[in-house]
Amino acid sequence: MLRIIQWLTHRERLLRSLNPLFGRFNPFLPAHRSDPHATWRALREAEPVYWHPVFRMWMLTRYEDVLFVLRDGNFTTDRSSVPLMRWIARMSRDDAQFSAMIERNLLMMDGPDHTRLRGLVSKAFTPRRVEGLRPRLEQVVDGLLDDCAERGEMELVRDFAHPLPVIAIAELLGVPVADRHLFAHWSAQLVQLLDPLQASGGVESMRRATHEIFGYFGRLLEERRSDPRDDLLSAMITAEQDGLRLEELDLLALSSLLLVAGHETTSNLIGNAVLALLRNPDERKRLQDDPALITTAIDEFLRYDGPIQFTDRAVRSDCEIGGKQIRQHQLVGVVLAAANRDPEQFADPERLDLGRSDNRHLAFGQGSHFCLGAQLAKLEAEIAIGRLLRRFPDFGGPLEPNEWRRSMIVRGPTAVALTLG
Ligand code: HEM
């Protein structure tokens, strides 16, 4: 199944001819990839609660509806009733590690198990620990910028936006930064669990990557048990709530999830933010003249062109949204990127306003699954964008990247060549 999706992703002519089947949303079209906001706007205006005929999924594009679904207990992240997930679960039945990767994954769990696991990991992944990374991240960003200054050029994604989040999550977890080529490989395989269009090798490659990454973290956890350090791995081992601790498989699945979740998203935030600055020179000048705007600026980048387009939930029991009957076990896609430009919620939503106040964007989701890494992602982006603008105030580049990621869920450039001025 994943291989079919991957094969299709690269058959643009075929997909164009199949276009009418896709109704109001065809994620395979290059036009959608380069401007998804046009699709979301049209969908929100024409049919804000829309049944997608191919993906067999409701798509919600109004802020109010998206917020409702993310907060309401009738919508669950337990997607075991969804055919694709049922199929992957069947493939993993006899493999304890692979099924832990799928089932003990915060993003797929719900209810008391999710609350327990999230409570324990939050005891270790604290705001203080994240803020403590600031000086190290500043050093890393300066180092990456120094390397580019020497060469006089920068490929934004490869040289800056991609390495920073990988180094950040490695530093936080306490894993050797020198192993980052391994993380890139494992992430590329495991991201398929969250985003099937990024399929690069199917279920077997996910299974192999799970065994490798669990083996890797298993050895590190053993080391930390006998020789604890001031890092997230050691803190997760000792985290305790109501006399309970994280079990070995939980620790392995969580460490792997953090590595993957922290990998792609923040890199795309930085990529999209730099493109937004290139496309909006007045706002760029405003931020350069007043660097204190960086905090509201990062939230505005997240609202204006966030890295995660949508997420989904399965429906526990029949209900109604916007006059449409939603049935038990159906899938509901909540389009965060559409909600973030809903004129009912945001004044002048199509405008980038780096000083925007009361910016209640949904780029990190909402409710019990609100992004665990939000503070870390914002810290990285703040340091990266702030220092890039200060170090190379005249950097220039194209308004369109070479290519956008071929993904239904993740939005970001694959490469942007910058001149450093
Ligand atoms: C700009 C960067 C990021 C964006 C836009 C983002 C977005 C999101 C969103 C939308 C969700 C909720 C998904 C849902 O409700 O279905 C989420 C959950 C999550 N994120 Fe992030 N994320 C980012 C960075 C990070 C980083 C850096 C980490 C880890 C270091 C991380 C770890 C997680 C985890 C573990 C969850 C699952 C939480 C749960 O289910 O309880 N994220 N993220």
Side-chain angles (χ1 to χ4, degrees):
M1 173 89 83
L2 288 176
R3 279 187 193 285
I4 295 172
I5 293 172
Q6 182 199 19
W7 183 83
L8 269 175
T9 312
H10 293 274
R11 298 294 179 287
E12 265 158 27
R13 273 191 34 210
L14 172 65
L15 287 164
R16 257 196 291 274
S17 64
L18 293 177
N19 194 34
L21 295 179
F22 283 86
R24 296 185 187 274
F25 169 55
N26 182 351
F28 299 104
L29 290 183
H32 171 74
R33 279 205 296 276
S34 85
D35 185 12
H37 302 290
T39 313
W40 305 140
R41 194 168 47 248
L43 202 52
R44 197 180 47 237
E45 284 166 7
E47 217 174 331
V49 182
Y50 173 65
W51 175 252
H52 197 285
V54 174
F55 299 118
R56 317 288 303 156
M57 168 174 86
W58 290 99
M59 298 188 70
L60 272 46
T61 42
R62 271 192 308 230
Y63 185 95
E64 197 188 341
D65 296 336
V66 170
L67 193 62
F68 169 71
V69 166
L70 290 174
R71 285 183 171 166
D72 192 279
N74 192 31
F75 303 90
T76 171
T77 50
D78 174 358
R79 298 159 181 99
S80 45
S81 61
V82 174
L84 178 64
M85 287 318 293
R86 255 205 323 261
W87 178 71
I88 294 182
R90 243 196 337 267
M91 303 287 288
S92 70
R93 211 169 21 205
D94 304 323
D95 184 332
Q97 292 199 336
F98 192 35
S99 70
M101 186 68 223
I102 297 166
E103 284 158 19
R104 300 197 188 196
N105 167 339
L106 282 177
L107 280 165
M108 308 280 178
M109 299 167 81
D110 235 340
D113 282 347
H114 173 262
T115 311
R116 177 186 66 84
L117 215 63
R118 180 146 175 151
L120 279 164
V121 72
S122 303
K123 293 218 156 217
F125 197 160
T126 57
R128 205 162 138 244
R129 182 174 299 282
V130 173
E131 187 52 37
L133 268 186
R134 185 184 283 273
R136 176 70 189 122
L137 292 182
E138 288 172 348
Q139 228 176 35
V140 170
V141 165
D142 289 345
L144 293 170
L145 295 176
D146 284 346
D147 292 345
C148 299
E150 268 173 35
R151 288 201 312 273
E153 58 179 24
M154 173 193 284
E155 197 286 88
L156 175 68
V157 179
R158 182 196 62 205
D159 300 333
F160 192 55
H162 190 68
L164 174 63
V166 185
I167 298 173
I169 191 69
E171 294 273 349
L172 185 78
L173 282 166
V175 304
V177 171
D179 291 341
R180 66 187 212 228
H181 60 285
L182 294 172
F183 313 152
H185 169 69
W186 293 327
S187 280
Q189 305 310 315
L190 293 174
V191 79
Q192 299 174 63
L193 274 177
L194 312 176
D195 186 358
L197 285 203
Q198 293 219 33
S200 63
V203 172
E204 263 325 301
S205 72
M206 284 194 272
R207 190 201 299 275
R208 244 191 334 268
T210 302
H211 289 175
E212 288 169 14
I213 198 170
F214 275 31
Y216 178 86
F217 276 119
R219 285 188 292 280
L220 280 172
L221 287 166
E222 215 173 288
E223 278 173 35
R224 293 298 185 280
R225 280 198 184 93
S226 53
D227 182 15
R229 294 196 198 158
D230 182 17
D231 59 28
L232 185 57
L233 277 187
S234 309
M236 288 199 300
I237 292 171
T238 50
E240 198 177 310
Q241 199 171 24
D242 306 327
L244 290 173
R245 286 191 176 192
L246 290 165
E247 292 166 21
E248 181 74 3
L249 278 176
D250 289 331
L251 284 167
L252 293 171
L254 269 171
S255 318
S256 311
L257 173 66
L258 289 175
L259 202 69
V260 178
H263 213 106
E264 283 241 352
T265 42
T266 315
S267 136
N268 291 314
L269 170 60
I270 296 170
N272 294 349
V274 170
L275 283 166
L277 289 173
L278 289 166
R279 289 170 173 192
N280 294 273
D282 292 348
E283 285 301 294
R284 170 180 175 167
K285 181 163 185 322
R286 187 176 170 205
L287 181 57
Q288 280 174 311
D289 291 347
D290 181 5
L293 277 182
I294 192 71
T295 319
T296 51
I298 299 302
D299 273 313
E300 179 66 347
F301 292 131
L302 282 156
R303 181 197 73 81
Y304 182 75
D305 205 4
I308 305 286
Q309 296 289 290
F310 68 86
T311 182
D312 56 44
R313 296 289 186 266
V315 181
R316 287 189 204 274
S317 57
D318 292 5
C319 62
E320 193 199 294
I321 302 178
K324 304 273 174 87
Q325 289 302 315
I326 317 279
R327 301 275 172 229
Q328 186 183 33
H329 299 325
Q330 282 184 330
L331 204 56
V332 176
V334 287
V335 188
L336 307 172
N340 283 341
R341 290 196 185 195
D342 184 345
E344 294 289 319
Q345 174 67 21
F346 299 100
D348 209 355
E350 303 292 331
R351 191 167 78 84
L352 180 78
D353 170 4
L354 297 184
R356 192 180 287 272
S357 56
D358 197 24
N359 185 350
R360 296 181 209 193
H361 66 77
L362 301 177
F364 290 119
Q366 254 297 328
S368 58
H369 291 273
F370 182 81
C371 176
L372 203 62
Q375 187 201 351
L376 175 63
K378 285 208 226 185
L379 179 67
E380 289 173 39
E382 196 183 304
I383 297 172
I385 302 293
R387 293 195 167 221
L388 174 70
L389 281 170
R390 207 165 66 205
R391 179 79 180 268
F392 302 117
D394 301 318
F395 78 79
L399 304 186
E400 243 333 270
N402 299 9
E403 204 189 350
W404 292 97
R405 289 192 186 285
R406 283 167 189 260
S407 162
M408 195 160 145
I409 293 173
V410 176
R411 157 96 168 150
T414 55
V416 184
L418 295 184
T419 55
L420 299 179

